[in-house]
Amino acid sequence: MPVNYIPTGTEYFRFLPEIILTLVATAVMMLEPVIGQRHRSVLPNLSLAGLFAALWAAVVAYSNPGPAFHDMLLIDGFSTFFRVLVIIVGILVVFASGQYLSREKAEAGEYHALLLFSIVGQCILASANELMMVFIGIEISSIASYILAGYLRDDKRNNESAIKYFLLGSFATAFLLYGVAWIYGLTGSTNLTEIRRILNTREIAPSLALVGTSAALMFVGFAFKVSAAPFQVWAPDVYQGAPVPVSAFMSAGPKAAAFAVFLRVYMTAFEPISDRWAPIIWISALLTMIVGNFAAIRQQNIKRMLAYSSIAHAGYVMVAVTCHSSIGTAAAMFYLASYAFMNVGAFAVVTHFARQGEQYLQIDEMAGLAKRQPATAALLTIFLLSLLGVPLTGGFFGKFYVFKAALDAHLVWLTVLGLLNSAVAAFYYLRIIVVMYMHEPGEATESLQPLGPGLKTAIWISALATLILGIFPAHVLNFAGRSADLMMK
Amino acid sequence: MPPIPAAVPLSWYLVLSAVLFSLGVAGFLFRKNIITVFMSIELMLNAVNLSFIAFSYHLKQVDGQIFSFFVMVVAAAEAAVGLGIILTVYKNRSTLEIDEINSMKN
Amino acid sequence: MHQLWLIPVFPLAGFAINGLIGRKSSKNVVNAVAIGSVLLSFLWVLKALSAMGLFGAGMPEEAHIERYFTWIQSGNLNIGFDFAVDRLSAVMLLVVTGIGLLIHIYATGYMAHEGGYYRFFAYLNLFMFFMLVLVLAANYLILFIGWEGVGLCSYLLIGFYFDKKFAGDAGKKAFIVNRVGDFGYSLAMFLIVTNFGSLDFGKVFEAAKAMPVDQGAGIFTAICLLFFVGAAGKSAQIPLYVWLPDAMAGPTPVSALIHAATMVTAGVYMIARSSALFVHAPIAMDVVAIVGLATAVMAATIGLVQNDIKKVYAYSTVSQLGYMFLALGSGAFAAGMFHVVTHAFFKALLFLGAGSVIHAVGGEQDLRKMGGLRTKIPITFATIICAALAISGVPFTSGAASKDEILIAAYHHAPWMYWVGVVTAGMTAFYVFRSVFMAFFGTYRGKAHPHESPLTMTGPLMILAVLSLAGGFIPLPHFLEPMFPKVLEESEKWLEYTAVASGLLGIALAYLFYVASPSLADAASKNFNGLHKLLYHKYYVDEAYDASIVEPIVQGSRSVLWKGFDSGLIDGTVNGIGHRAMNIGGALRRLQSGNIRSYAAWVVLGSIAVIVAMGLTGSIR
Amino acid sequence: MDVPLFLLFAFIAVASAISLVVQTHPISSALSLVGVMVSLAVLYLLLGAEFIAAAQIIVYAGAVMVLFVFVIMLLNAGTEHKSSKSPMVKWFGIPLFAVFIGVISFSVQGMLPKSEPVVFGAFTQGGPLEVGRALFTVYLLPFEVTSILILIALIGAIVLARKEI
Amino acid sequence: MNLLDILIAVPFIGFTAVMLLPKSNAGAAKMIALVIALAIFVGSLALIGPVAASKGEWQFVTNVNWIQVPGLLPGEGIKYHTGMDGISLWLVLLSTFLTPIAMLISWNSVTDRPKEFFAFLLLLEFGLIGVFVALDLFLFYTFWEICLVPMYFLIGIWGHDRRIYAAVKFFLYTMAGSVLMLAAILYLNFKTGSFDYPVILNLLASGKVPLTHIEQTLLFLAFFLAFAIKVPLFPLHTWLPDAHVEAPTAGSVMLASVMLKMGTYGLVRFCLPLFPNAARQNAGWIVALAIIGIIYGALVALVQPNMKKLVAYSSVSHLGFVVLGVFSFTQMGLDGAVYQMLNHGISTGALFILVGYLYERRHSLEISAYGGVATAAPWLATVFLITTLASIGLPTLNNFIGEFLVLQGAAEVNFQWTVFAAIGVILSACYMLWMYQRTFFGLMPGQTADAGHGHSAGHSHGPAGHSHDPGHDHPHDHGHDHAHGDDHAHDAHSHWHMPDLSLREWVAIVPLLVLMVWMGMGSQSFLPSIGVATARTLEQSKSNIEYQVKIPSAVPQQTAPLTEAASAR
């Protein structure tokens, strides 16, 4: 144990995004009482500035990759990918939230502070190389999300969402923690690289059955966070109840971060026992796809439907995880990126449509949207087609690549079943398109105001990103592939 | 009845931890007051802490204890937030019955 | 090169002109175009044939072939758009253009006051085009163009009065029944291509002739029988004759041209053309002969009792076509073709005459409402008598010449066929004269004021009358002899005498029944009421077809295939999958009870499963 | 000495935990939880974790549980109703619990077969000095980062409790 | 950047441009879309020369990298690889030819959101051209799916009453098939490391990448299912009648004329060359289904009360011929099949257009709502008749040649196939003429027989009722009020709003009529270039077998299935 420790500048540099975000979040919080009601619009702008700065920091941090703070963090391509992703999700959500918050008369600095803090947690998750950081990262990200889910505290649905998320989240985290304790006991370490080394060394490797059990306990925690079956139960209720921008955020950011850490833990630390967990994830992936897709068919509430769809998409990513190959990891990374954009985009449109108090959430109420606001409808259609997996969208290429990875890993049946599942998905995504384009406008559509600037920005950025990822995926995929290769080495 | 050993085997601590963890799970499952349910989670965290400290003893490392320290900190923070959420729920619904909080389903 | 392509192209141009601008043109223009185009065609035929030496040195036995362009080329199959003229087609060309011209002229008078005048002539010209293509074809596929094309025109002309349901029905029936025949024809073509690799008449017959007679009998039989199916459709033989009587729904000139003189003999022409194949298939020959004979008898019996004048002649046509097939089946191809020609003369005349009669009595077609027209329309009467004599086989008429040849051939083929043929000849004479007597003798029973037709109509009648009487002196069999395989023929005079006697007997009986003592006819029909009814209703064949083919297909398609299979089973399955998905979705939703403790139970359940799977089973393993 | 002490406090811990699970009044449950925590603190001591034992008493049993009791009092939470709206738990709760405890205990008892038994005083690295040094060297980052967590809790309390947003 | 690339790009640019136009000026949007579509058609004519002159190698090839991920996508990755041969050429031309026509016929009938309608037609054209020229499997799949989207909207937004059901059914049916195709594409990529069609073909054919018997069969079936749904092959056809009935006219036209060809094109382009063994082994039941489809489609068409449904089922029947031709594995069969694709595109397209004309006049698709149209609109009747005749395969019109070649090809293999399939030809005459008769002949609904035919009553004798109204054959009886001639029909029934063809309608239909005759008589303009391509396809679907028979020694573990496959022949 060293007696003295003074972090080097490089280490701070590698941790810069988190530092920036924390400082900005604190600043937002502190500024709020100072500036008064009238200048509240400064707060989101400040958050945006912070996020952009963090984005920049995350990118430049990659120029000097490596571990930091006693191997607590590992800045590599993989972590950079997810840090950038969650920060971009944050940017989009901030854009998408402005209108919502003013509409609900809840333009407090806390919202942005919490959002930024949550992103800090996700950044930590993305770069964590130590189970302790994983735990803390998860907690930071989650606790902030719990509060955000119940942000409008006078709203019954928000409360319910928050309490459900909170109780079940903590419950699942306890399992995760228990698993961490065991793996610590078995290997004497909580460092992922170290655990992998020990498990790989035959002489000192502990009973693999017990390692399997601890991996299982941790799986409970991770699967819960990514909403994989059979731990997906919370997701629909929570997404439905939370404020729409928060649902957008939760289904994209924390999910991506959770997958990041899930991937890192299972692809590095538990890689040596992959023959134990791969079949489980196989089953889980299939169940997740089935539950998500089939349950979504009957939904009337668009938020809830998107929640189920987000479960289904988690299933596709799980397919990529099942491959436990670098190509599978790359596929998962790519998928999460494109999913983040299309999903945030879709939720952003819902934010726009729901109006004050989220009164218009039924799918049928979107009738005739294409007649009144063709651009909005077209953009939502792009998101839906991407979710559905129509070529030239990110969603398609992600899915394509996931299943390619699965085939390369000889998962023929999973591929076939997964693809059939994606055909089932057409059922419910098409319904929204049908309602928007093929029904006559109803009261809800007629009273719709034009799209606000913030939401517009968020939606357009998401749409462009969805299309770019679909048409020119090579750069992102290249990066993902190289990072995945490096990480799994 | 096996003879009582002179010193406590480490596994006893671990089994105790497991039992407490399971009881925490049971509390979550069977209790209907939200606060009690929350307390069950605390119980589970405590059980995990016991495991950490037992392993720390076994490994002759302080790291496990540090981990349990962080668990405590997190639990405290969680308690603050959780109780806040419970308060708002109660304000809105005037009930702490966990079974009553099911307006969103299917 | 004789520019044979001009022969069909003239009427095609006539069709195009009349079709496009006829509606707004005067009748004279339409007439000029319609008749002019056929006249040009006729003249061009004469020019081409005379250039080939028809009227001088005599036509060469080899066909004159003109190749224009490749029509279809795929793999090693090459089908050219080629025309050919040999003696056989020369005869047909003359008949088609000649009779066609006469009937066009006649029609200008007959149709003078009908609506859709230009349309009628456009169709008629189109028919001429296709018929000439049929005749000129140098391979089976080009022949098929004409074959289908004349069917189409027949459809159009039968359905000329398209606002009448029965006219449309009749047209459709004609086309579809013909389609059944075409089915056979095309299958035969496919077999030919598969076996000979070509559809060119020359190549196919060359290959066929090179084969010894007993070799490949099976394939030849199949090809020939299929061709005969085609011919039966086009030439109204059992079992596909049903469309022809209905086809009388068309205007009378159409009946004369298409359904008596030319188109319906296309089947005979086609089989005569394929004689090189048929000689290799004796079984098929027998079938042709027997079916021909049966058709002749059956149609004649029906003809005995019909009261609609055009119907009588329609059945007569069917019957005479049966004769022609009898000839073909007996190997007397030349005789068959001879009968085609003579039949074209007298049957066209009969129909045109009937048209003139109908015209005279104000559209009435029922024989029972005519009578005594002899004096009122004398030219018509005289010409019809010529035709009636010819068809009855009265000596020195055209009919006698050709029919005798057929019967003699039949005798050599199988004597019983001869005897049946002779009886049929008697019946033919009976029903034709029955119609003549009923229409022209006795007293007029109708209400109109009969009047003679204009010259445009009677002119063609007179020309045809001459041809009917004198047509038998054309040395056609001799002319065609080289075209066909040799048949040995020893004419015995008594065969001819018997046939003639049978015809005369028929005439006499008709006279007895319908002129001398009309009550006998009623008495006979009463005495043989069942038989009479059976004949009157044409053996109920239409009804039987309806009940056994049409209805089952329509009803089966509707209730079993469409409603049952398509909407019920397949769509039911598809929708069922959809519902099943919905139900699964519904069930899965219900797991999402909204209750936190239930959710926790799921988490616990899941964790147990995962722990057992990842940890414990691993240790047991 | 170790064995009786362990047995005693283990018994107290389990009994209190069971009490937490079966009591229907939250206050009773809260007090049971305090019992668990205190007895666990004793066990921590036995395992040589002095600092954590102290923190357990001060932070957990002290601060956190007081918060709980405070909220229970504030909300005047009474005895639970006997309703059971969770058929899942009603039918499968007890079997699930039984299987779960069986599986976990079965797994855990086979763990660390060669470990030496626990002797009080055999491990003395759990004092404030050692813990503090670890926190400020190796675990500096998590330690600093937990401050964010505290901040979030702070904001959370404000967001959830203050009058207007 | 060759001509083909431009032709692919322009529709998409056009789509975007038209979409971005302001909503207020629909007329300009329509005009711009039409001009673009016409320009594309004119441009596409220039494709003919080089392809027709070629000896079977790909023309207008563009082969650039699209998505390259070294290490993750092995080999060369996904490429933008397009090119055309004689098969694709004509299908591309069919697409570019029909798109402006589809626009013309929708000119007035689409009043709701016309801008989007025309834009979607352009998008559809973009996808269709792409499908027919894509030489990279990924690219192919991309275009394949892109086609779905505009058609889905065309049906769903501008369709009739049950349009949504039809649109969703259409989408789901196709989707269900295409995901399996995607799986197969991925598997091929897994085996060969490439998405590039010629490369894969080469690898498979040369035996460098041997597929086991079961692999080949499953891959074949996966591709086949996707294509069979699209064709549609019996019994996967039930989406088609619904889609057709509910689609707007232009949608039906594009769907029937071009989109169905995507399936048959796929069969020819991919199923045969890539998996020759499996294709040949499975040919038996596929042909059986095709023949069942021919007869079944015809029989069901016979009893349809709805015109569009009738034409839809007739498509099932006609497309059966195409499948039959493809799976006869003969030069004539394949030539005929490809030719028949074009023929069907022209004649069925024309039929839908004409049904659309009728619909615009009377707003009903039920046959029973019509009658006597020939009286009121003789030109419409004439055009319809020509189209009907083309559809039933009258020689000199286009369909005949396709059907003839297909049947001839089938006869070379198995004469019984031809016998059964030819029954479909008979039936086609039945249902088409029956419909024609009920629609165009007879009296108009509501018109009584007496009104038009004063003294027809009482003169019918004979059970078949084919006796004449005396007046009709009576040249002098011209004073009566008969209406059988089209000349004096207009005045007599002016209440019946059935105007004859307008100029715009003429412009839309005449090119199709010209093509019907041209393709019927001048098949040599088309068949040689098709023949070159089909001959190569046929060659490819043979060579593989020989190679694979030789291979076993080199790849011992695959010996058993391969020899089995070989000996099964």
Side-chain angles (χ1 to χ4, degrees), chain E residues 405-471:
Chain E
L405 285 175
V406 165
L407 290 173
Q408 186 63 58
E412 310 265 305
V413 184
N414 187 337
F415 193 66
Q416 286 172 10
W417 293 354
T418 309
V419 173
F420 286 112
I423 293 174
V425 182
I426 304 181
L427 291 172
S428 73
C430 299
Y431 60 77
M432 288 307 295
L433 289 181
W434 196 21
M435 173 182 83
Y436 187 77
Q437 184 199 357
R438 284 178 290 168
T439 311
F440 287 88
F441 291 172
L443 302 170
M444 302 158 201
Q447 190 186 29
T448 57
D450 288 337
H453 305 273
H455 37 264
S456 64
H459 281 298
S460 265
H461 42 91
H466 33 61
S467 166
H468 277 190
D469 182 338

Side-chain angles (χ1 to χ4, degrees), chain E residues 50 59 73 108 131 135 161 182 202 226 296 307-308 321 334 436 500 553:
Chain E
Q59 298 296 313
L73 283 171
N108 292 335
V131 162
L135 290 181
D161 295 344
L182 181 60
N202 189 33
Y296 176 90
M307 283 192 243
K308 273 188 153 184
F321 281 103
L334 269 171
Y436 187 77
D500 215 333
S553 58

